[in-house]
């Protein structure tokens, strides 16, 4: 399972974090704005903006871009993402968004008419529609397990794995609506024991929580990098478990999905033999400059330390939960249990639309999702910005 947010970091760890936050996110930390909407879009750090500018300058003089530099940029992306997730670079394919990776899973997994694909109800639409389309085109049975109120009912999902014909389970690691974090280790073990494919949408978890895929049974994991990984739009990846890669054929076939396609001097020697690693699933051309920006952004997580970043986010979340616990006029939608927390806290004040308008007027960036207020602070968010948001919510609830 993910490392709990209650994990302690040292004073030196947090001091280093503050130095990086001041250097990389001056616009987000300035007075007059409180950015608590990272679950929608993460702000670009200064190093990512600089990397984009450098690459764009080279793009204006394309003769200065060598093949080694261009493709070395995305090779570095695979290495960084593998390190961040506990995978190997051979298991990482670069994509432009989460949806592409989820569609890859829907189309490449060996699912036939009559097979059952399970998910939780109240999933984000990108984790619903590819499977609905598969139900229509291939005749699988796509079934949603009811939630316990707004929260994922993990016990009901585990029980549903024993329904006849279940071949795949598709879940968000963290709910976009409530921030509920499922137990990837527990669910993965249950799927492995039954021979069920486990597909994970990680976009709302990775960057706020830590992840080690080497210890988990996950078959396919898709993640966009524009939210918690504070990377440019158009960057994302899919992880495919190494032992599964050879058994899956790409639905969309790129000219660089085959072996020896890195040699541009022999492009007409057609050999339709897929690569042995996850690059068989990549569709070239990739947005190289955006991945250069992503590389710079992800490097910051290693400078700060993923566990330290998660611990700071955990402090913000704890502050919001403590405030909510002391109020009778605001209902906490998100789970309070430490093991189920993420970077998202969802609150239900008496009049959510009024509260949202008040937050917006006060310069507090947030989201109104399914009739509730969603706050999502990051590791670079000043603690005072969280306090400011709660003060505005308190006033709006009167």
């Amino acid at each position: 399972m993910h490392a709990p947010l209650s994990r302690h970091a040292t004073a030196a760890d947090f001091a280093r974090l503050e130095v990086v936050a001041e250097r990389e996110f001056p616009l987000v930390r300035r007075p007059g704005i409180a950015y608590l909407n990272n679950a929608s879009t993460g702000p670009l750090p200064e190093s990512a903006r600089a990397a984009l500018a450098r690459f764009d300058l080279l793009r204006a003089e394309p003769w200065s871009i060598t093949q080694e530099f261009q493709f070395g940029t995305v090779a570095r992306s695979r290495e960084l993402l593998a390190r961040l997730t506990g995978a190997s670079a051979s298991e990482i394919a670069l994509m432009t968004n989460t949806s592409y990776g989820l569609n890859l899973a829907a189309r490449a997994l060996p699912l036939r008419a009559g097979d059952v694909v399970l998910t939780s109800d109240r999933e984000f639409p990108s984790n619903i529609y590819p499977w609905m389309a598969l139900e229509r085109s291939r005749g699988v049975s796509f079934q949603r397990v009811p939630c316990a109120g707004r929260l994922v009912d993990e016990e009901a999902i585990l029980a549903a794995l024993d329904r006849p014909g279940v071949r795949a389970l598709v879940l968000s690691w963290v709910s976009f609506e409530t921030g509920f974090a499922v137990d990837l280790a527990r669910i993965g073990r249950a799927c492995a024991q039954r021979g069920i494919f486990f597909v994970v949408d990680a976009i709302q978890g990775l960057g706020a929580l830590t992840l080690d895929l080497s210890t988990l049974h996950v078959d396919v994991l898709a993640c966009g990098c524009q939210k918690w990984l504070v990377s440019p739009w158009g960057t994302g990846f899919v992880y495919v478990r190494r032992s599964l890669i050879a058994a899956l054929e790409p639905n969309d076939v790129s000219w660089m999905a085959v072996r020896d396609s890195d040699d541009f001097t022999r492009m007409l020697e057609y050999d339709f033999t897929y690569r042995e690693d996850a690059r068989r699933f990549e569709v070239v051309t990739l947005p190289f400059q955006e991945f250069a920006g992503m590389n710079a952004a992800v490097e910051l997580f290693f400078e700060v330390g993923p566990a330290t970043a998660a611990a700071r986010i955990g402090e913000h979340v704890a502050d919001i939960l403590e405030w909510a616990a002391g109020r009778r006029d605001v209902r906490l939608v998100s789970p309070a249990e430490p093991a189920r927390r993420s970077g998202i806290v969802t609150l239900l004040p008496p009049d959510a639309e009024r509260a949202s308008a008040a937050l917006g007027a006060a310069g507090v960036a947030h989201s109104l999702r399914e009739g509730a207020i969603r706050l999502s602070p990051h590791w670079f968010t000043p603690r005072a910005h969280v306090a400011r948001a709660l003060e505005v919510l308190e006033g709006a609830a009167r």
Side-chain angles (χ1 to χ4, degrees):
M1 192 174 177
H2 61 266
L5 286 174
S6 59
R7 174 173 177 171
H8 294 290
T10 67
D13 291 333
F14 282 138
R16 182 174 62 250
L17 179 150
E18 287 297 325
V19 169
V20 178
E22 288 287 345
R23 184 190 77 213
E24 295 290 339
F25 298 96
L27 300 178
V28 175
R29 294 167 65 90
R30 72 185 189 275
I33 182 71
Y35 192 75
L36 305 180
N37 202 23
N38 294 281
S40 291
T41 304
L44 283 180
E46 292 299 296
S47 57
R49 293 208 302 160
L52 286 167
R54 286 193 298 271
F55 210 109
D56 282 342
L57 184 61
L58 291 174
R59 184 68 174 80
E61 300 176 343
W63 57 87
S64 64
I65 301 176
T66 64
Q67 183 177 336
E68 290 73 21
F69 174 78
Q70 183 175 355
F71 288 93
T73 297
V74 289
R76 179 61 176 160
S77 299
R78 297 185 203 98
E79 293 168 358
L80 288 169
L81 292 168
R83 179 183 172 193
L84 189 66
T85 59
S88 70
S90 66
E91 296 172 307
I92 301 294
L94 301 180
M95 307 284 174
T96 54
N97 50 51
T98 311
S99 294
Y100 199 97
L102 294 172
N103 275 278
L104 167 67
R107 298 295 172 177
L109 290 174
L111 301 173
R112 304 187 304 271
D115 288 343
V116 175
V117 177
L118 291 176
T119 192
S120 173
D121 202 10
R122 306 184 76 88
E123 274 281 347
F124 192 78
S126 66
N127 211 14
I128 294 290
Y129 294 132
W131 307 97
M132 283 185 168
L134 195 68
E135 185 174 44
R136 180 182 297 176
S137 65
R138 205 178 295 177
V140 304
S141 175
F142 181 47
Q143 301 176 11
R144 303 201 300 273
V145 178
C147 289
R150 290 181 182 235
L151 300 182
V152 175
D153 190 336
E154 193 169 291
E155 297 301 326
I157 288 171
L158 289 169
L161 295 179
D162 290 322
R163 294 177 185 175
V166 175
R167 290 283 290 138
L169 173 66
V170 188
L171 285 178
S172 289
W173 177 14
V174 170
S175 165
F176 83 100
E177 179 192 3
T178 68
F180 183 98
V182 301
D183 189 336
L184 294 179
R186 182 189 186 203
I187 296 173
R189 284 194 301 270
C191 288
Q193 290 165 1
R194 295 163 174 80
I196 293 171
F197 295 113
F198 187 25
V199 179
V200 175
D201 175 347
I203 194 170
Q204 293 293 7
L206 189 60
L209 305 173
T210 58
L211 180 68
D212 185 357
L213 287 167
S214 71
T215 67
L216 301 172
H217 182 88
V218 173
D219 292 296
V220 180
L221 179 142
C223 185
C225 300
Q226 77 274 14
K227 298 181 186 286
W228 294 98
L229 293 179
V230 294
S231 296
W233 285 307
T235 57
F237 70 97
V238 63
Y239 156 90
V240 181
R241 185 166 50 85
R242 189 70 183 87
S243 60
L244 188 60
I245 291 173
L248 304 184
E249 290 203 9
N251 186 62
D252 300 303
V253 181
S254 169
W255 64 274
M256 291 196 72
V258 298
R259 68 182 182 184
D260 298 331
S261 52
D262 295 304
D263 185 352
F264 292 175
T265 68
R266 300 186 295 113
M267 299 176 71
L268 298 184
E269 296 179 14
Y270 308 121
D271 178 4
F272 189 37
T273 304
Y274 286 120
R275 294 179 184 272
E276 295 181 351
D277 61 16
R279 287 182 64 188
R280 65 168 59 193
F281 305 114
E282 290 184 355
V283 177
V284 176
T285 297
L286 293 164
F288 295 96
Q289 73 280 6
E290 309 303 324
F291 280 102
M294 188 214 75
N295 291 351
V298 173
E299 289 276 15
L300 297 180
F301 284 85
F302 300 119
E303 184 176 355
V304 169
T308 300
R312 173 48 55 85
I313 294 169
E315 288 185 343
H316 293 323
V317 168
D319 286 345
I320 300 171
L321 295 181
E322 182 180 358
W323 176 85
R327 301 195 63 84
R328 296 183 178 179
D329 54 355
V330 175
R331 182 165 71 88
L332 176 66
V333 176
S334 298
E337 307 95 305
R340 298 300 187 182
R341 298 179 194 175
S342 63
I344 293 172
V345 184
T346 304
L347 304 168
L348 193 60
D351 187 337
E353 290 190 3
R354 178 179 173 225
S356 179
L359 288 168
V364 179
H366 65 287
S367 288
L368 182 63
R369 291 289 185 269
E370 308 304 314
I373 301 296
R374 187 182 73 179
L375 303 177
S376 49
H378 217 313
W379 58 263
F380 45 77
T381 304
R383 208 161 190 171
H385 289 193
V386 176
R388 180 177 170 192
L390 298 179
E391 182 180 350
V392 174
L393 282 174
E394 187 168 339
R398 291 195 186 105

